[in-house]
Amino acid sequence: LCLPGVARADEAEELLAEGLVRLRVGKFKKSLKVLKRARRKAKDPQIKAKVYLNLGVVYAVLRKKRKARKSFTKALKLNPTLTLKKGEVKDKAINLCEEVRGGSKGKLVVKAEPAGAAVLLDGKELGKTPLTQELAVGAYKLVVRSADGMSTLSRDVVIRVDQETEVKGK
């Protein structure tokens, strides 16, 4: 049984893997060619996000900063939690990706009853509820602690490009 949609997804993943191998061995132009094919074949948004992220890396290495920014932006719109690891790619690609992440914003809205609960994000206090804060896209650890200290809400939140993430607690 051959399912065309499944075959295309597998092909996109295989092309992504091939592009990554070429990227790691320094064959940047060949990697670019393969990753562009993977981008065309990818239907799954998570695969497409990884393809865009790695296209951004290749463009950054090839000193095509505008194209790198555009690719990183598309990757973060599809998956704001993607990151590049130090030691696996060039620092200039990591720095450019983080610069794009910092400029890509979403909104966090925290509501709690009664008002006045402390809102902490990755351990840093943002303010008291009700709270609306613009943040760089990505994954964060949110803690909402009631004013009397009797109750705490803790959860992982993902801030997405140009979207509002709302958290309600009691």
Side-chain angles (χ1 to χ4, degrees), residues 77 103-107 134 137 159-164:
K77 279 187 176 183
S104 301
K105 304 290 185 184
K107 203 173 275 187
E134 190 174 73
V137 298
I159 304 301
R160 298 186 177 281
V161 177
D162 298 329
Q163 292 185 20
E164 193 173 280

Side-chain angles (χ1 to χ4, degrees), residues 23-134:
L23 174 61
R24 287 190 183 108
V25 297
K27 303 284 184 187
F28 304 117
K29 289 186 179 181
K30 289 190 184 234
S31 176
L32 182 61
K33 188 175 181 178
V34 173
L35 289 171
K36 283 180 176 180
R37 283 182 44 218
R39 180 186 63 201
R40 286 190 300 272
K41 299 282 185 182
K43 301 298 178 207
D44 180 318
Q46 296 311 310
I47 300 295
K48 195 167 245 181
K50 290 176 186 174
V51 171
Y52 276 120
L53 183 72
N54 288 289
L55 277 169
V57 170
V58 174
Y59 284 131
V61 170
L62 294 174
R63 296 191 171 123
K64 296 183 179 201
K65 199 171 180 178
R66 193 174 105 303
K67 287 186 175 186
R69 285 176 171 285
K70 190 174 180 181
S71 293
F72 288 141
T73 299
K74 287 181 179 182
L76 293 171
K77 279 187 176 183
L78 291 167
N79 183 346
T81 65
L82 287 177
T83 58
L84 294 171
K85 293 182 183 156
K86 214 167 192 41
E88 289 185 11
V89 298
K90 303 238 182 226
D91 284 349
K92 65 181 169 184
I94 294 172
N95 295 339
L96 186 57
C97 184
E98 289 309 307
E99 188 180 306
V100 169
R101 180 187 308 282
S104 301
K105 304 290 185 184
K107 203 173 275 187
L108 174 67
V109 177
V110 183
K111 299 175 182 176
E113 303 263 337
V119 178
L120 294 96
L121 202 64
D122 289 346
K124 295 179 185 172
E125 188 162 344
L126 289 182
K128 307 284 184 196
T129 60
L131 177 115
T132 299
Q133 181 85 36
E134 190 174 73

